[in-house]
Amino acid sequence: WAIIEPLIPPEPPKPKGGRPRLDDRAALTGILFVLRTGIPWELLPVEMGCGSGMTCWRRLHEWHRAGVWERLHCVLLDRLGYANAINWDRAAVDSASFRKKGGEETGPNPTDRGKPGSKRHILVDANGIPLALKISPANRHDSKLLETLVDAVPAIRQCAGRPRRRPAKLHADKGYDFAHCRRALRQRAIIPRIARRGVESSERLGRHRWVVERTLAWFARFRRIAVRYERRADIFSAFHHIAASLICWRFVQRWFC
């Protein structure tokens, strides 16, 4: 809460009368409870003191529009970068698909008999810390999001020198085995380490690429995003940035606590 509170925009002015505004910390508690448990907003327990589920939803949307969740992720990455906890020697990229009955940023999933779904793309460092994430329809090929994902890594401060955004090497599976992917990485001074189709075995993830699979499993533990319940892409993206921040927070606790 001490990290999030300075990022929250001030309370907007309101007319006299009416009920008092729900405390921001109580609203955050309700948002995190829904993210972890996956319960519908209207079933948020009253005993938690979080107000109504609709109030927490509006606060989630309000803070997402203000950029709170993305800034929170960047603040935690800065803490890890300043402590040299981010391993820039290697990074890995991958994606995972999940079902959705309809809504924004969805498409027929080629791996699930064409049922509507979405896909999360993440880029992690050698320790599995999520550096960037994107949401796309399930029928969007992984290679199409590589450049966007690499460019989405924020400038992370270091204990010495300038902020850094680029890993030295990037590991990826055969879904990224295209000339334009290798060319895009080399243009950004990143050495591509991409599995080659028809040459390398698909049975192993490799010595360095398993960390991204583990991080994808960490994201799947948040039940609200394990299956996509949100029709709106902005709300779903907000939940993903919160989940990424919570994963980064675990690494912060490991290094500072």
Side-chain angles (χ1 to χ4, degrees), residues 4 28 31-32 34-36 60 68-70 72-73 76-77 120 122 128-133 135 215-226 235-251:
I4 298 177
L28 177 65
I31 292 170
L32 296 181
V34 170
L35 173 62
R36 287 189 175 276
L60 170 69
V68 172
W69 310 122
E70 292 187 18
L72 173 62
H73 187 198
L76 293 170
L77 288 176
R120 70 173 62 95
I122 65 170
I129 299 173
L131 303 179
L133 63 93
I135 305 298
T215 304
L216 285 170
W218 288 342
F219 273 97
R221 290 181 181 179
F222 297 95
R223 299 186 65 181
R224 189 71 184 188
I225 60 176
I235 299 298
F236 194 59
S237 178
F239 272 134
H240 271 80
H241 282 291
I242 299 173
S245 299
L246 290 173
I247 293 173
C248 290
W249 175 244
R250 296 172 189 167
F251 284 94

Side-chain angles (χ1 to χ4, degrees), residues 25-86:
R25 189 166 186 174
L28 177 65
T29 301
I31 292 170
L32 296 181
F33 188 79
V34 170
L35 173 62
R36 287 189 175 276
T37 63
I39 66 170
W41 290 102
E42 61 270 16
L43 297 183
L44 192 64
V46 180
E47 295 80 6
M48 295 181 61
C50 302
S52 67
M54 200 62 217
T55 300
C56 294
W57 184 94
R58 283 194 295 266
R59 205 70 58 87
L60 170 69
H61 180 241
E62 174 187 333
W63 292 344
H64 175 68
R65 292 184 60 185
V68 172
W69 310 122
E70 292 187 18
R71 291 203 304 271
L72 173 62
H73 187 198
C74 292
V75 167
L76 293 170
L77 288 176
D78 280 341
R79 286 199 174 193
L80 293 170
Y82 190 73
N84 279 336
I86 297 178

